[in-house]
Amino acid sequence: MRTVLMVAEKPSLAQSIAKILSKGSCSSRKGLNGACSVYEYTGSFMGQSARFKMTSVCGHVMSLDFIGKYNNWDKVDPAELFSKAPTEKKEANPKLNMVKFLQVESKGCDVVVLWLDCDKEGENICFEVLDAIEPYMNKSYGSEKTVFRAKFSSITDQDICNAMNRLGEPNRNEALSVDARQELDLRIGCAFTRFQTKYFQGKYGNLDSSLISFGPCQTPTLGFCVERHDKIQSFKSEPYWVLQAKVFKGKESPITLDWDRVRVFDREVAQMFLNIAKTARETRVESVSKKEKAKQRPQALNTVESVSKK
């Protein structure tokens, strides 16, 4: 009987997926890192009986950083971080022992099914998981396929079962694009953070002991926030006037009519229209339309994002 290891991106997703695929008959145990559980059950895979192990990681397994000597701010010119400084992959959270946990759980497994989130970050984590487990899995024979990728968008029985029946492959190009983005973020962010922090120290008293960080996403976002804040602070309200008319018919509820001009900022103009409305003896109805509005009850949240926030 083959053993199939399945890996999700978060512990909550692993639990939900295991319960759906096992029809609620899976057993569970804690992994060696204490953060991720392992759900086990027997079933069928590719037409053959199989033993399943469902577990998860906790986001990225690895993170990118400069090698040790380039982390010394006093001895390294920030400009060197753009080209000369080599990088290395490190465990994203060493306290979780995620690599060791994956290696232990992958021993004796014949196949892996990757249930990481269906975005570029998820594809990148797929290959982080594979790098950790492939040396410890059973060797395949010939061209036998042992790595599969599940594509899903919601945690429903139908979507998960469809994903299991239509397994594909992880996308290496998308994973490499995340590697490139991570390196750009690291080099640009660290170089400019170190440069502007050291540049401003001694020039402004309240910045002497602070880290003035820079990030390719963080800094433009901060700019948007500051721009919006400035607009709010500089906004000056102006008084305006509106006309509202109500139409009564017998004991029915009155109908409030909206003014085509919406509002005017000149009180005298508003008063003129009010006088015209008051002296009018007749009102002509040009058209009448009726429509029913129905508000459906909201559907239960079952997307990957909503489950991850529980």
Side-chain angles (χ1 to χ4, degrees):
M1 182 183 292
R2 291 197 298 176
T3 300
V4 180
L5 175 66
M6 303 196 294
V7 184
E9 193 162 322
K10 309 170 189 69
S12 60
L13 293 181
Q15 181 183 32
S16 299
I17 294 169
K19 286 183 177 180
I20 291 172
L21 294 177
S22 68
K23 294 180 171 58
S25 63
C26 59
S27 61
S28 65
R29 58 179 171 83
K30 277 289 185 184
L32 65 83
N33 63 1
C36 303
S37 295
V38 182
Y39 303 88
E40 298 176 300
Y41 64 95
T42 57
S44 176
F45 184 78
M46 301 292 178
Q48 299 179 4
S49 296
R51 172 174 170 256
F52 291 89
K53 295 169 66 176
M54 180 83 210
T55 188
S56 73
V57 291
C58 295
H60 275 283
V61 179
M62 309 298 290
S63 63
L64 191 69
D65 199 2
F66 295 113
I67 63 172
K69 71 175 186 177
Y70 285 92
N71 287 319
N72 189 320
W73 285 38
D74 296 323
K75 295 182 179 180
V76 178
D77 185 342
E80 293 184 36
L81 301 181
F82 283 109
S83 56
K84 294 183 179 180
T87 60
E88 62 180 348
K89 290 275 190 178
K90 299 179 180 179
E91 278 203 60
N93 190 340
K95 293 182 179 179
L96 287 178
N97 288 317
M98 192 60 69
V99 172
K100 180 66 175 177
F101 165 69
L102 291 171
Q103 291 170 347
V104 169
E105 295 301 333
S106 65
K107 285 182 180 178
C109 292
D110 304 286
V111 177
V112 59
V113 180
L114 300 161
W115 289 86
L116 288 306
D117 291 356
C118 297
D119 53 22
K120 289 184 179 181
E121 295 293 332
E123 296 301 323
N124 189 264
I125 300 174
C126 282
F127 288 94
E128 291 178 351
V129 171
L130 290 175
D131 288 343
I133 68 174
E134 282 189 315
Y136 295 84
M137 294 176 60
N138 292 338
K139 301 298 180 182
S140 60
Y141 298 97
S143 59
E144 183 182 11
K145 190 176 179 181
T146 59
V147 177
F148 297 89
R149 175 74 160 104
K151 294 282 188 177
F152 61 103
S153 59
S154 64
I155 312 301
T156 61
D157 291 17
Q158 181 179 359
D159 204 19
I160 295 303
C161 291
N162 285 342
M164 190 65 178
N165 293 328
R166 301 171 184 172
L167 296 174
E169 298 179 359
N171 189 319
R172 182 171 289 278
N173 287 335
E174 289 190 355
L176 290 174
S177 73
V178 174
D179 285 340
R181 194 266 307 157
Q182 288 178 342
E183 184 169 350
L184 285 171
D185 286 352
L186 178 69
R187 293 188 184 279
I188 295 172
C190 288
F192 278 98
T193 294
R194 294 185 191 184
F195 173 77
Q196 65 186 17
T197 298
K198 296 177 74 173
Y199 179 82
F200 285 114
Q201 282 179 343
K203 296 188 178 182
Y204 301 95
N206 59 342
L207 293 178
D208 278 354
S209 60
S210 299
L211 174 73
I212 309 172
S213 64
F214 178 93
C217 294
Q218 162 201 311
T219 302
T221 302
L222 178 60
F224 296 145
C225 294
V226 172
E227 182 181 4
R228 181 60 179 160
H229 173 76
D230 289 343
K231 287 182 179 179
I232 293 172
Q233 293 298 313
S234 61
F235 175 76
K236 294 181 179 180
S237 61
E238 294 182 61
Y240 62 87
W241 288 263
V242 298
L243 287 184
Q244 279 191 339
K246 290 186 178 181
V247 177
F248 295 84
K249 183 180 178 182
K251 295 183 179 179
E252 295 181 9
S253 299
I255 300 174
T256 301
L257 305 181
D258 294 327
W259 192 19
D260 276 348
R261 294 190 59 165
V262 184
R263 65 175 66 88
V264 293
F265 293 90
D266 189 320
R267 190 177 188 282
E268 292 183 2
V269 174
Q271 186 65 51
M272 178 190 70
F273 282 111
L274 177 60
N275 293 337
I276 293 172
K278 282 183 175 182
T279 57
R281 296 296 181 183
E282 294 181 353
T283 299
R284 183 174 64 187
V285 178
E286 294 185 348
S287 64
V288 176
S289 62
K290 292 183 179 181
K291 59 182 179 180
E292 290 187 4
K293 287 186 177 181
K295 188 174 182 179
Q296 300 292 333
R297 66 180 181 180
Q299 296 295 319
L301 295 176
N302 57 27
T303 62
V304 173
E305 182 179 358
S306 65
V307 171
S308 69
K309 292 180 180 178
K310 289 183 179 179

